[in-house]
Amino acid sequence: MRANHPSPARRRTALGLSLAALAAAATTGAGPATAAPGKAPAAPAPACSAAYRIEQKLSTGTTWRMCWRYDTKAGLVLEDISYQPKGETAPVKVLASARLGQIDVPYDDGSVEYDDLTGFGFAQGLVNLAPAECPGGTIKTVKVQDAFYSDNPNIKGLCATTRARGHAYRMQADTGNRVYQEQGKDLLLYTVNKVGWYEYITEWRFQDDGLISMNVGATGSLSPGDYDAGDGRGWPIGKGARSYATSHSHNVFWKLDFALDGSRKNHVEQYDSQVSPPARGRQAPTNKTTRTNVTKELAGDAKNMRWWRVVSDTGKNKDGHARSYEIVQGATAKYPGRGFTRHDVYFTEYTPCEQFASNNPGCASGHPQSVDRFVDGQTLTRPVVWVNVGFHHVARDEDQQPMPVHWQGFSLAPRDVTAMNPLTPPALAGENGQPRPRS
């Protein structure tokens, strides 16, 4: 898969973009920018025209609203994202902006390393989707400057659909054999971007219970020019042990700008739990969880029983608890070869030109060019979250042909956004707090 880049002619086009155009793309793209944020108890309607607005009420009663645009480097950008479950009289603003921040692909033999977003035409590789690829949904047209795989800049490339995910919950009553259950529904958005032999499926899943999942799936083909690896740096594909496909890493970054309850002045908390041996008179070990306020920029490492949440400074749920979203780490294989890939999550103070996790093109000369160097001790007043999820791809016979999708990603889970499960059935609506005996 070494040919993880456009053809030489297309590569020259991608690399020949001026810094001025790159800086402009960060704020313009193919769709309109959102309005300036402000402190408000409820999210207003998305600040974009109908063509760039997504509003979906799911069958379970939850409504998601957002705007989209297409950036000339990052690809799909979602903005002004709000969530309104049944029982909430107004939408709850969650994110001002969410998008990819980089896909870094170093090869195990040290021959090459690709920055697919900023250097190798990820956005220009958006491809048309057939109706069968967006079952039950709508394929939106995206205008792509210098599209690589179409003579027409208008690409039918954004699928918006809904999908069942199985049980949202199940609970059997104490008596009477009554079962409470709900089948969950999701709003699903995705694009496919072709970069050389790879095809990246960028998926955004918005669940009816408020959870947001972000995943990138790599598929396509193993590069026919990359069967020259040696032992320990590749895997034999095909007959015998002659052709070794070169192993490599996919380091995918996401960039999230929160705006909980309409304000971007949120704060970050880190939680760690420590298990100790059983105390005298106790049957089991004890487990104590401590909170640390993250007041300055941080390059964070996931550990057992460690997690972070972004907390609203302005909004509370009906129980009087501050609304927040928890970062739920996905499976990862961190790549230790670069400073910017050595950590799982970065919290940085908002700086307009800091748009990409590596080879960031938009800042002035002398400004740090990677997310690890963005972390320089500033106080967090408007935190931006960068999440890094790595995958070490050691090819296998089953990767041909075509290559099955391999996924990497993470989730944002609502924590105290609503006072109860947003899908609670009416019969259980009074059971907020310690459950009462049921008949």
Side-chain angles (χ1 to χ4, degrees), residues 104 113 253 299-301 334-346 357-358 370-373 375 388:
D104 172 74
E113 182 173 5
F253 290 82
D301 294 303
K334 280 190 295 186
Y335 177 72
R338 296 293 185 189
F340 61 88
T341 58
R342 291 177 190 162
H343 302 283
D344 297 293
V345 63
Y346 299 85
S358 68
S370 58
V371 68
D372 56 318
R373 297 183 180 275
V375 178
N388 169 34

mmCIF file with all atom_site columns, all heavy atoms in Angstrom, residues 104 113 253 299-301 334-346 357-358 370-373 375 388:
data_model
loop_
_atom_site.group_PDB
_atom_site.id
_atom_site.type_symbol
_atom_site.label_atom_id
_atom_site.label_alt_id
_atom_site.label_comp_id
_atom_site.label_asym_id
_atom_site.label_entity_id
_atom_site.label_seq_id
_atom_site.pdbx_PDB_ins_code
_atom_site.Cartn_x
_atom_site.Cartn_y
_atom_site.Cartn_z
_atom_site.occupancy
_atom_site.B_iso_or_equiv
_atom_site.pdbx_formal_charge
_atom_site.auth_seq_id
_atom_site.auth_comp_id
_atom_site.auth_asym_id
_atom_site.auth_atom_id
_atom_site.pdbx_PDB_model_num
ATOM 1   N N   . ASP A 1 104 ? -1.736 10.185 9.158  1.00 0.00 ? 104 ASP A N   1
ATOM 2   C CA  . ASP A 1 104 ? -0.291 10.032 8.991  1.00 0.00 ? 104 ASP A CA  1
ATOM 3   C C   . ASP A 1 104 ? 0.016  8.554  8.760  1.00 0.00 ? 104 ASP A C   1
ATOM 4   O O   . ASP A 1 104 ? -0.406 7.698  9.545  1.00 0.00 ? 104 ASP A O   1
ATOM 5   C CB  . ASP A 1 104 ? 0.427  10.538 10.243 1.00 0.00 ? 104 ASP A CB  1
ATOM 6   C CG  . ASP A 1 104 ? 1.911  10.225 10.224 1.00 0.00 ? 104 ASP A CG  1
ATOM 7   O OD1 . ASP A 1 104 ? 2.640  10.884 9.474  1.00 0.00 ? 104 ASP A OD1 1
ATOM 8   O OD2 . ASP A 1 104 ? 2.338  9.308  10.973 1.00 0.00 ? 104 ASP A OD2 1
ATOM 9   N N   . GLU A 1 113 ? 6.775  8.269  4.434  1.00 0.00 ? 113 GLU A N   1
ATOM 10  C CA  . GLU A 1 113 ? 5.721  8.611  5.399  1.00 0.00 ? 113 GLU A CA  1
ATOM 11  C C   . GLU A 1 113 ? 4.802  9.619  4.725  1.00 0.00 ? 113 GLU A C   1
ATOM 12  O O   . GLU A 1 113 ? 5.272  10.632 4.192  1.00 0.00 ? 113 GLU A O   1
ATOM 13  C CB  . GLU A 1 113 ? 6.329  9.193  6.673  1.00 0.00 ? 113 GLU A CB  1
ATOM 14  C CG  . GLU A 1 113 ? 5.320  9.526  7.756  1.00 0.00 ? 113 GLU A CG  1
ATOM 15  C CD  . GLU A 1 113 ? 5.989  9.952  9.060  1.00 0.00 ? 113 GLU A CD  1
ATOM 16  O OE1 . GLU A 1 113 ? 7.229  10.070 9.078  1.00 0.00 ? 113 GLU A OE1 1
ATOM 17  O OE2 . GLU A 1 113 ? 5.273  10.178 10.056 1.00 0.00 ? 113 GLU A OE2 1
ATOM 18  N N   . PHE A 1 253 ? -6.142 11.345 13.163 1.00 0.00 ? 253 PHE A N   1
ATOM 19  C CA  . PHE A 1 253 ? -6.450 12.394 14.136 1.00 0.00 ? 253 PHE A CA  1
ATOM 20  C C   . PHE A 1 253 ? -7.801 13.020 13.812 1.00 0.00 ? 253 PHE A C   1
ATOM 21  O O   . PHE A 1 253 ? -8.134 13.226 12.637 1.00 0.00 ? 253 PHE A O   1
ATOM 22  C CB  . PHE A 1 253 ? -5.392 13.503 14.104 1.00 0.00 ? 253 PHE A CB  1
ATOM 23  C CG  . PHE A 1 253 ? -4.052 13.109 14.653 1.00 0.00 ? 253 PHE A CG  1
ATOM 24  C CD1 . PHE A 1 253 ? -3.146 12.413 13.868 1.00 0.00 ? 253 PHE A CD1 1
ATOM 25  C CD2 . PHE A 1 253 ? -3.689 13.437 15.953 1.00 0.00 ? 253 PHE A CD2 1
ATOM 26  C CE1 . PHE A 1 253 ? -1.909 12.049 14.364 1.00 0.00 ? 253 PHE A CE1 1
ATOM 27  C CE2 . PHE A 1 253 ? -2.452 13.086 16.454 1.00 0.00 ? 253 PHE A CE2 1
ATOM 28  C CZ  . PHE A 1 253 ? -1.553 12.387 15.658 1.00 0.00 ? 253 PHE A CZ  1
ATOM 29  N N   . ALA A 1 299 ? -0.867 17.078 26.724 1.00 0.00 ? 299 ALA A N   1
ATOM 30  C CA  . ALA A 1 299 ? -0.726 15.915 25.852 1.00 0.00 ? 299 ALA A CA  1
ATOM 31  C C   . ALA A 1 299 ? -0.982 14.706 26.736 1.00 0.00 ? 299 ALA A C   1
ATOM 32  O O   . ALA A 1 299 ? -0.162 14.363 27.591 1.00 0.00 ? 299 ALA A O   1
ATOM 33  C CB  . ALA A 1 299 ? 0.671  15.868 25.235 1.00 0.00 ? 299 ALA A CB  1
ATOM 34  N N   . GLY A 1 300 ? -2.143 14.071 26.572 1.00 0.00 ? 300 GLY A N   1
ATOM 35  C CA  . GLY A 1 300 ? -2.596 13.046 27.511 1.00 0.00 ? 300 GLY A CA  1
ATOM 36  C C   . GLY A 1 300 ? -2.420 11.635 26.977 1.00 0.00 ? 300 GLY A C   1
ATOM 37  O O   . GLY A 1 300 ? -2.544 11.375 25.777 1.00 0.00 ? 300 GLY A O   1
ATOM 38  N N   . ASP A 1 301 ? -2.147 10.731 27.901 1.00 0.00 ? 301 ASP A N   1
ATOM 39  C CA  . ASP A 1 301 ? -2.001 9.317  27.568 1.00 0.00 ? 301 ASP A CA  1
ATOM 40  C C   . ASP A 1 301 ? -3.098 8.517  28.254 1.00 0.00 ? 301 ASP A C   1
ATOM 41  O O   . ASP A 1 301 ? -3.312 8.655  29.470 1.00 0.00 ? 301 ASP A O   1
ATOM 42  C CB  . ASP A 1 301 ? -0.633 8.795  28.018 1.00 0.00 ? 301 ASP A CB  1
ATOM 43  C CG  . ASP A 1 301 ? 0.500  9.444  27.239 1.00 0.00 ? 301 ASP A CG  1
ATOM 44  O OD1 . ASP A 1 301 ? 0.487  9.339  26.006 1.00 0.00 ? 301 ASP A OD1 1
ATOM 45  O OD2 . ASP A 1 301 ? 1.391  10.070 27.866 1.00 0.00 ? 301 ASP A OD2 1
ATOM 46  N N   . LYS A 1 334 ? -0.526 2.964  19.329 1.00 0.00 ? 334 LYS A N   1
ATOM 47  C CA  . LYS A 1 334 ? 0.190  4.230  19.183 1.00 0.00 ? 334 LYS A CA  1
ATOM 48  C C   . LYS A 1 334 ? 1.530  4.023  18.487 1.00 0.00 ? 334 LYS A C   1
ATOM 49  O O   . LYS A 1 334 ? 2.281  3.112  18.816 1.00 0.00 ? 334 LYS A O   1
ATOM 50  C CB  . LYS A 1 334 ? 0.401  4.885  20.550 1.00 0.00 ? 334 LYS A CB  1
ATOM 51  C CG  . LYS A 1 334 ? -0.793 5.621  21.064 1.00 0.00 ? 334 LYS A CG  1
ATOM 52  C CD  . LYS A 1 334 ? -0.464 6.460  22.291 1.00 0.00 ? 334 LYS A CD  1
ATOM 53  C CE  . LYS A 1 334 ? -0.066 5.612  23.484 1.00 0.00 ? 334 LYS A CE  1
ATOM 54  N NZ  . LYS A 1 334 ? 0.113  6.440  24.700 1.00 0.00 ? 334 LYS A NZ  1
ATOM 55  N N   . TYR A 1 335 ? 1.823  4.896  17.563 1.00 0.00 ? 335 TYR A N   1
ATOM 56  C CA  . TYR A 1 335 ? 3.080  4.853  16.823 1.00 0.00 ? 335 TYR A CA  1
ATOM 57  C C   . TYR A 1 335 ? 4.091  5.745  17.535 1.00 0.00 ? 335 TYR A C   1
ATOM 58  O O   . TYR A 1 335 ? 3.885  6.957  17.655 1.00 0.00 ? 335 TYR A O   1
ATOM 59  C CB  . TYR A 1 335 ? 2.836  5.343  15.398 1.00 0.00 ? 335 TYR A CB  1
ATOM 60  C CG  . TYR A 1 335 ? 4.066  5.424  14.537 1.00 0.00 ? 335 TYR A CG  1
ATOM 61  C CD1 . TYR A 1 335 ? 4.674  4.272  14.072 1.00 0.00 ? 335 TYR A CD1 1
ATOM 62  C CD2 . TYR A 1 335 ? 4.620  6.648  14.188 1.00 0.00 ? 335 TYR A CD2 1
ATOM 63  C CE1 . TYR A 1 335 ? 5.802  4.332  13.267 1.00 0.00 ? 335 TYR A CE1 1
ATOM 64  C CE2 . TYR A 1 335 ? 5.744  6.729  13.380 1.00 0.00 ? 335 TYR A CE2 1
ATOM 65  C CZ  . TYR A 1 335 ? 6.334  5.568  12.926 1.00 0.00 ? 335 TYR A CZ  1
ATOM 66  O OH  . TYR A 1 335 ? 7.457  5.635  12.130 1.00 0.00 ? 335 TYR A OH  1
ATOM 67  N N   . PRO A 1 336 ? 5.202  5.189  18.040 1.00 0.00 ? 336 PRO A N   1
ATOM 68  C CA  . PRO A 1 336 ? 6.139  5.991  18.837 1.00 0.00 ? 336 PRO A CA  1
ATOM 69  C C   . PRO A 1 336 ? 7.184  6.733  18.021 1.00 0.00 ? 336 PRO A C   1
ATOM 70  O O   . PRO A 1 336 ? 8.043  7.406  18.579 1.00 0.00 ? 336 PRO A O   1
ATOM 71  C CB  . PRO A 1 336 ? 6.807  4.928  19.724 1.00 0.00 ? 336 PRO A CB  1
ATOM 72  C CG  . PRO A 1 336 ? 6.808  3.691  18.870 1.00 0.00 ? 336 PRO A CG  1
ATOM 73  C CD  . PRO A 1 336 ? 5.530  3.756  18.056 1.00 0.00 ? 336 PRO A CD  1
ATOM 74  N N   . GLY A 1 337 ? 7.107  6.637  16.686 1.00 0.00 ? 337 GLY A N   1
ATOM 75  C CA  . GLY A 1 337 ? 8.164  7.204  15.866 1.00 0.00 ? 337 GLY A CA  1
ATOM 76  C C   . GLY A 1 337 ? 8.151  8.710  15.723 1.00 0.00 ? 337 GLY A C   1
ATOM 77  O O   . GLY A 1 337 ? 9.160  9.298  15.329 1.00 0.00 ? 337 GLY A O   1
ATOM 78  N N   . ARG A 1 338 ? 7.048  9.356  16.019 1.00 0.00 ? 338 ARG A N   1
ATOM 79  C CA  . ARG A 1 338 ? 6.933  10.808 15.902 1.00 0.00 ? 338 ARG A CA  1
ATOM 80  C C   . ARG A 1 338 ? 6.388  11.398 17.191 1.00 0.00 ? 338 ARG A C   1
ATOM 81  O O   . ARG A 1 338 ? 5.564  10.776 17.870 1.00 0.00 ? 338 ARG A O   1
ATOM 82  C CB  . ARG A 1 338 ? 6.008  11.191 14.747 1.00 0.00 ? 338 ARG A CB  1
ATOM 83  C CG  . ARG A 1 338 ? 6.498  10.779 13.373 1.00 0.00 ? 338 ARG A CG  1
ATOM 84  C CD  . ARG A 1 338 ? 7.736  11.537 12.975 1.00 0.00 ? 338 ARG A CD  1
ATOM 85  N NE  . ARG A 1 338 ? 8.149  11.233 11.603 1.00 0.00 ? 338 ARG A NE  1
ATOM 86  C CZ  . ARG A 1 338 ? 9.290  11.625 11.072 1.00 0.00 ? 338 ARG A CZ  1
ATOM 87  N NH1 . ARG A 1 338 ? 10.140 12.352 11.793 1.00 0.00 ? 338 ARG A NH1 1
ATOM 88  N NH2 . ARG A 1 338 ? 9.608  11.317 9.824  1.00 0.00 ? 338 ARG A NH2 1
ATOM 89  N N   . GLY A 1 339 ? 6.792  12.619 17.503 1.00 0.00 ? 339 GLY A N   1
ATOM 90  C CA  . GLY A 1 339 ? 6.302  13.254 18.717 1.00 0.00 ? 339 GLY A CA  1
ATOM 91  C C   . GLY A 1 339 ? 4.805  13.440 18.719 1.00 0.00 ? 339 GLY A C   1
ATOM 92  O O   . GLY A 1 339 ? 4.139  13.248 19.744 1.00 0.00 ? 339 GLY A O   1
ATOM 93  N N   . PHE A 1 340 ? 4.226  13.769 17.562 1.00 0.00 ? 340 PHE A N   1
ATOM 94  C CA  . PHE A 1 340 ? 2.790  14.057 17.520 1.00 0.00 ? 340 PHE A CA  1
ATOM 95  C C   . PHE A 1 340 ? 1.936  12.798 17.564 1.00 0.00 ? 340 PHE A C   1
ATOM 96  O O   . PHE A 1 340 ? 0.729  12.884 17.754 1.00 0.00 ? 340 PHE A O   1
ATOM 97  C CB  . PHE A 1 340 ? 2.442  14.916 16.294 1.00 0.00 ? 340 PHE A CB  1
ATOM 98  C CG  . PHE A 1 340 ? 2.758  14.288 14.965 1.00 0.00 ? 340 PHE A CG  1
ATOM 99  C CD1 . PHE A 1 340 ? 1.849  13.472 14.320 1.00 0.00 ? 340 PHE A CD1 1
ATOM 100 C CD2 . PHE A 1 340 ? 3.974  14.536 14.348 1.00 0.00 ? 340 PHE A CD2 1
ATOM 101 C CE1 . PHE A 1 340 ? 2.134  12.907 13.101 1.00 0.00 ? 340 PHE A CE1 1
ATOM 102 C CE2 . PHE A 1 340 ? 4.274  13.980 13.119 1.00 0.00 ? 340 PHE A CE2 1
ATOM 103 C CZ  . PHE A 1 340 ? 3.353  13.154 12.490 1.00 0.00 ? 340 PHE A CZ  1
ATOM 104 N N   . THR A 1 341 ? 2.525  11.616 17.372 1.00 0.00 ? 341 THR A N   1
ATOM 105 C CA  . THR A 1 341 ? 1.752  10.365 17.434 1.00 0.00 ? 341 THR A CA  1
ATOM 106 C C   . THR A 1 341 ? 1.948  9.627  18.755 1.00 0.00 ? 341 THR A C   1
ATOM 107 O O   . THR A 1 341 ? 1.411  8.533  18.924 1.00 0.00 ? 341 THR A O   1
ATOM 108 C CB  . THR A 1 341 ? 2.138  9.422  16.286 1.00 0.00 ? 341 THR A CB  1
ATOM 109 O OG1 . THR A 1 341 ? 3.546  9.137  16.352 1.00 0.00 ? 341 THR A OG1 1
ATOM 110 C CG2 . THR A 1 341 ? 1.805  10.038 14.942 1.00 0.00 ? 341 THR A CG2 1
ATOM 111 N N   . ARG A 1 342 ? 2.660  10.182 19.696 1.00 0.00 ? 342 ARG A N   1
ATOM 112 C CA  . ARG A 1 342 ? 3.006  9.473  20.933 1.00 0.00 ? 342 ARG A CA  1
ATOM 113 C C   . ARG A 1 342 ? 1.961  9.596  22.027 1.00 0.00 ? 342 ARG A C   1
ATOM 114 O O   . ARG A 1 342 ? 2.102  8.994  23.080 1.00 0.00 ? 342 ARG A O   1
ATOM 115 C CB  . ARG A 1 342 ? 4.363  9.961  21.458 1.00 0.00 ? 342 ARG A CB  1
ATOM 116 C CG  . ARG A 1 342 ? 5.530  9.552  20.581 1.00 0.00 ? 342 ARG A CG  1
ATOM 117 C CD  . ARG A 1 342 ? 6.837  10.110 21.086 1.00 0.00 ? 342 ARG A CD  1
ATOM 118 N NE  . ARG A 1 342 ? 7.902  9.899  20.096 1.00 0.00 ? 342 ARG A NE  1
ATOM 119 C CZ  . ARG A 1 342 ? 9.055  10.558 20.098 1.00 0.00 ? 342 ARG A CZ  1
ATOM 120 N NH1 . ARG A 1 342 ? 9.276  11.503 21.021 1.00 0.00 ? 342 ARG A NH1 1
ATOM 121 N NH2 . ARG A 1 342 ? 9.954  10.308 19.169 1.00 0.00 ? 342 ARG A NH2 1
ATOM 122 N N   . HIS A 1 343 ? 0.945  10.423 21.800 1.00 0.00 ? 343 HIS A N   1
ATOM 123 C CA  . HIS A 1 343 ? -0.080 10.623 22.824 1.00 0.00 ? 343 HIS A CA  1
ATOM 124 C C   . HIS A 1 343 ? -1.461 10.355 22.231 1.00 0.00 ? 343 HIS A C   1
ATOM 125 O O   . HIS A 1 343 ? -1.681 10.467 21.029 1.00 0.00 ? 343 HIS A O   1
ATOM 126 C CB  . HIS A 1 343 ? -0.001 12.036 23.395 1.00 0.00 ? 343 HIS A CB  1
ATOM 127 C CG  . HIS A 1 343 ? 1.341  12.355 23.990 1.00 0.00 ? 343 HIS A CG  1
ATOM 128 N ND1 . HIS A 1 343 ? 1.744  11.891 25.223 1.00 0.00 ? 343 HIS A ND1 1
ATOM 129 C CD2 . HIS A 1 343 ? 2.381  13.068 23.496 1.00 0.00 ? 343 HIS A CD2 1
ATOM 130 C CE1 . HIS A 1 343 ? 2.963  12.316 25.482 1.00 0.00 ? 343 HIS A CE1 1
ATOM 131 N NE2 . HIS A 1 343 ? 3.371  13.031 24.448 1.00 0.00 ? 343 HIS A NE2 1
ATOM 132 N N   . ASP A 1 344 ? -2.399 10.011 23.116 1.00 0.00 ? 344 ASP A N   1
ATOM 133 C CA  . ASP A 1 344 ? -3.741 9.631  22.692 1.00 0.00 ? 344 ASP A CA  1
ATOM 134 C C   . ASP A 1 344 ? -4.675 10.815 22.507 1.00 0.00 ? 344 ASP A C   1
ATOM 135 O O   . ASP A 1 344 ? -5.596 10.766 21.690 1.00 0.00 ? 344 ASP A O   1
ATOM 136 C CB  . ASP A 1 344 ? -4.357 8.673  23.720 1.00 0.00 ? 344 ASP A CB  1
ATOM 137 C CG  . ASP A 1 344 ? -3.580 7.385  23.832 1.00 0.00 ? 344 ASP A CG  1
ATOM 138 O OD1 . ASP A 1 344 ? -3.568 6.612  22.856 1.00 0.00 ? 344 ASP A OD1 1
ATOM 139 O OD2 . ASP A 1 344 ? -2.979 7.144  24.894 1.00 0.00 ? 344 ASP A OD2 1
ATOM 140 N N   . VAL A 1 345 ? -4.480 11.854 23.290 1.00 0.00 ? 345 VAL A N   1
ATOM 141 C CA  . VAL A 1 345 ? -5.383 12.999 23.231 1.00 0.00 ? 345 VAL A CA  1
ATOM 142 C C   . VAL A 1 345 ? -4.579 14.252 23.572 1.00 0.00 ? 345 VAL A C   1
ATOM 143 O O   . VAL A 1 345 ? -3.634 14.216 24.376 1.00 0.00 ? 345 VAL A O   1
ATOM 144 C CB  . VAL A 1 345 ? -6.575 12.821 24.205 1.00 0.00 ? 345 VAL A CB  1
ATOM 145 C CG1 . VAL A 1 345 ? -6.130 12.744 25.650 1.00 0.00 ? 345 VAL A CG1 1
ATOM 146 C CG2 . VAL A 1 345 ? -7.624 13.900 24.015 1.00 0.00 ? 345 VAL A CG2 1
ATOM 147 N N   . TYR A 1 346 ? -4.931 15.344 22.902 1.00 0.00 ? 346 TYR A N   1
ATOM 148 C CA  . TYR A 1 346 ? -4.299 16.637 23.155 1.00 0.00 ? 346 TYR A CA  1
ATOM 149 C C   . TYR A 1 346 ? -5.406 17.649 23.419 1.00 0.00 ? 346 TYR A C   1
ATOM 150 O O   . TYR A 1 346 ? -6.411 17.680 22.711 1.00 0.00 ? 346 TYR A O   1
ATOM 151 C CB  . TYR A 1 346 ? -3.479 17.093 21.946 1.00 0.00 ? 346 TYR A CB  1
ATOM 152 C CG  . TYR A 1 346 ? -2.345 16.179 21.566 1.00 0.00 ? 346 TYR A CG  1
ATOM 153 C CD1 . TYR A 1 346 ? -2.569 15.074 20.749 1.00 0.00 ? 346 TYR A CD1 1
ATOM 154 C CD2 . TYR A 1 346 ? -1.041 16.418 22.001 1.00 0.00 ? 346 TYR A CD2 1
ATOM 155 C CE1 . TYR A 1 346 ? -1.526 14.236 20.381 1.00 0.00 ? 346 TYR A CE1 1
ATOM 156 C CE2 . TYR A 1 346 ? 0.007  15.581 21.642 1.00 0.00 ? 346 TYR A CE2 1
ATOM 157 C CZ  . TYR A 1 346 ? -0.243 14.487 20.833 1.00 0.00 ? 346 TYR A CZ  1
ATOM 158 O OH  . TYR A 1 346 ? 0.786  13.650 20.471 1.00 0.00 ? 346 TYR A OH  1
ATOM 159 N N   . ALA A 1 357 ? -2.867 18.165 12.662 1.00 0.00 ? 357 ALA A N   1
ATOM 160 C CA  . ALA A 1 357 ? -2.016 17.611 13.712 1.00 0.00 ? 357 ALA A CA  1
ATOM 161 C C   . ALA A 1 357 ? -0.560 17.508 13.305 1.00 0.00 ? 357 ALA A C   1
ATOM 162 O O   . ALA A 1 357 ? 0.318  17.417 14.166 1.00 0.00 ? 357 ALA A O   1
ATOM 163 C CB  . ALA A 1 357 ? -2.539 16.235 14.134 1.00 0.00 ? 357 ALA A CB  1
ATOM 164 N N   . SER A 1 358 ? -0.280 17.496 12.009 1.00 0.00 ? 358 SER A N   1
ATOM 165 C CA  . SER A 1 358 ? 1.103  17.485 11.526 1.00 0.00 ? 358 SER A CA  1
ATOM 166 C C   . SER A 1 358 ? 1.150  18.194 10.187 1.00 0.00 ? 358 SER A C   1
ATOM 167 O O   . SER A 1 358 ? 0.133  18.313 9.493  1.00 0.00 ? 358 SER A O   1
ATOM 168 C CB  . SER A 1 358 ? 1.624  16.053 11.385 1.00 0.00 ? 358 SER A CB  1
ATOM 169 O OG  . SER A 1 358 ? 0.967  15.359 10.342 1.00 0.00 ? 358 SER A OG  1
ATOM 170 N N   . SER A 1 370 ? 3.106  20.957 14.438 1.00 0.00 ? 370 SER A N   1
ATOM 171 C CA  . SER A 1 370 ? 2.451  19.703 14.821 1.00 0.00 ? 370 SER A CA  1
ATOM 172 C C   . SER A 1 370 ? 1.833  19.853 16.202 1.00 0.00 ? 370 SER A C   1
ATOM 173 O O   . SER A 1 370 ? 2.229  20.694 17.010 1.00 0.00 ? 370 SER A O   1
ATOM 174 C CB  . SER A 1 370 ? 3.444  18.538 14.809 1.00 0.00 ? 370 SER A CB  1
ATOM 175 O OG  . SER A 1 370 ? 4.531  18.772 15.687 1.00 0.00 ? 370 SER A OG  1
ATOM 176 N N   . VAL A 1 371 ? 0.823  19.007 16.469 1.00 0.00 ? 371 VAL A N   1
ATOM 177 C CA  . VAL A 1 371 ? -0.020 19.193 17.645 1.00 0.00 ? 371 VAL A CA  1
ATOM 178 C C   . VAL A 1 371 ? 0.750  19.036 18.946 1.00 0.00 ? 371 VAL A C   1
ATOM 179 O O   . VAL A 1 371 ? 0.415  19.681 19.951 1.00 0.00 ? 371 VAL A O   1
ATOM 180 C CB  . VAL A 1 371 ? -1.229 18.234 17.586 1.00 0.00 ? 371 VAL A CB  1
ATOM 181 C CG1 . VAL A 1 371 ? -0.801 16.778 17.745 1.00 0.00 ? 371 VAL A CG1 1
ATOM 182 C CG2 . VAL A 1 371 ? -2.287 18.599 18.616 1.00 0.00 ? 371 VAL A CG2 1
ATOM 183 N N   . ASP A 1 372 ? 1.784  18.194 18.980 1.00 0.00 ? 372 ASP A N   1
ATOM 184 C CA  . ASP A 1 372 ? 2.556  18.056 20.209 1.00 0.00 ? 372 ASP A CA  1
ATOM 185 C C   . ASP A 1 372 ? 3.254  19.356 20.567 1.00 0.00 ? 372 ASP A C   1
ATOM 186 O O   . ASP A 1 372 ? 3.451  19.659 21.755 1.00 0.00 ? 372 ASP A O   1
ATOM 187 C CB  . ASP A 1 372 ? 3.566  16.915 20.081 1.00 0.00 ? 372 ASP A CB  1
ATOM 188 C CG  . ASP A 1 372 ? 4.491  17.085 18.893 1.00 0.00 ? 372 ASP A CG  1
ATOM 189 O OD1 . ASP A 1 372 ? 4.019  17.476 17.815 1.00 0.00 ? 372 ASP A OD1 1
ATOM 190 O OD2 . ASP A 1 372 ? 5.704  16.818 19.028 1.00 0.00 ? 372 ASP A OD2 1
ATOM 191 N N   . ARG A 1 373 ? 3.589  20.146 19.542 1.00 0.00 ? 373 ARG A N   1
ATOM 192 C CA  . ARG A 1 373 ? 4.248  21.439 19.801 1.00 0.00 ? 373 ARG A CA  1
ATOM 193 C C   . ARG A 1 373 ? 3.237  22.572 19.986 1.00 0.00 ? 373 ARG A C   1
ATOM 194 O O   . ARG A 1 373 ? 3.608  23.655 20.453 1.00 0.00 ? 373 ARG A O   1
ATOM 195 C CB  . ARG A 1 373 ? 5.231  21.752 18.671 1.00 0.00 ? 373 ARG A CB  1
ATOM 196 C CG  . ARG A 1 373 ? 6.355  20.727 18.594 1.00 0.00 ? 373 ARG A CG  1
ATOM 197 C CD  . ARG A 1 373 ? 7.364  21.060 17.522 1.00 0.00 ? 373 ARG A CD  1
ATOM 198 N NE  . ARG A 1 373 ? 8.412  20.063 17.473 1.00 0.00 ? 373 ARG A NE  1
ATOM 199 C CZ  . ARG A 1 373 ? 9.503  20.060 18.237 1.00 0.00 ? 373 ARG A CZ  1
ATOM 200 N NH1 . ARG A 1 373 ? 9.666  21.033 19.126 1.00 0.00 ? 373 ARG A NH1 1
ATOM 201 N NH2 . ARG A 1 373 ? 10.415 19.128 18.117 1.00 0.00 ? 373 ARG A NH2 1
ATOM 202 N N   . VAL A 1 375 ? 1.066  22.244 22.164 1.00 0.00 ? 375 VAL A N   1
ATOM 203 C CA  . VAL A 1 375 ? 0.956  22.175 23.621 1.00 0.00 ? 375 VAL A CA  1
ATOM 204 C C   . VAL A 1 375 ? 2.181  22.864 24.219 1.00 0.00 ? 375 VAL A C   1
ATOM 205 O O   . VAL A 1 375 ? 3.268  22.286 24.301 1.00 0.00 ? 375 VAL A O   1
ATOM 206 C CB  . VAL A 1 375 ? 0.872  20.711 24.102 1.00 0.00 ? 375 VAL A CB  1
ATOM 207 C CG1 . VAL A 1 375 ? 0.804  20.650 25.629 1.00 0.00 ? 375 VAL A CG1 1
ATOM 208 C CG2 . VAL A 1 375 ? -0.353 20.024 23.498 1.00 0.00 ? 375 VAL A CG2 1
ATOM 209 N N   . ASN A 1 388 ? -6.116 10.972 18.821 1.00 0.00 ? 388 ASN A N   1
ATOM 210 C CA  . ASN A 1 388 ? -5.250 10.192 17.948 1.00 0.00 ? 388 ASN A CA  1
ATOM 211 C C   . ASN A 1 388 ? -5.537 8.712  18.157 1.00 0.00 ? 388 ASN A C   1
ATOM 212 O O   . ASN A 1 388 ? -5.455 8.210  19.288 1.00 0.00 ? 388 ASN A O   1
ATOM 213 C CB  . ASN A 1 388 ? -3.784 10.509 18.277 1.00 0.00 ? 388 ASN A CB  1
ATOM 214 C CG  . ASN A 1 388 ? -2.802 9.551  17.620 1.00 0.00 ? 388 ASN A CG  1
ATOM 215 O OD1 . ASN A 1 388 ? -3.031 9.067  16.512 1.00 0.00 ? 388 ASN A OD1 1
ATOM 216 N ND2 . ASN A 1 388 ? -1.705 9.275  18.301 1.00 0.00 ? 388 ASN A ND2 1
#
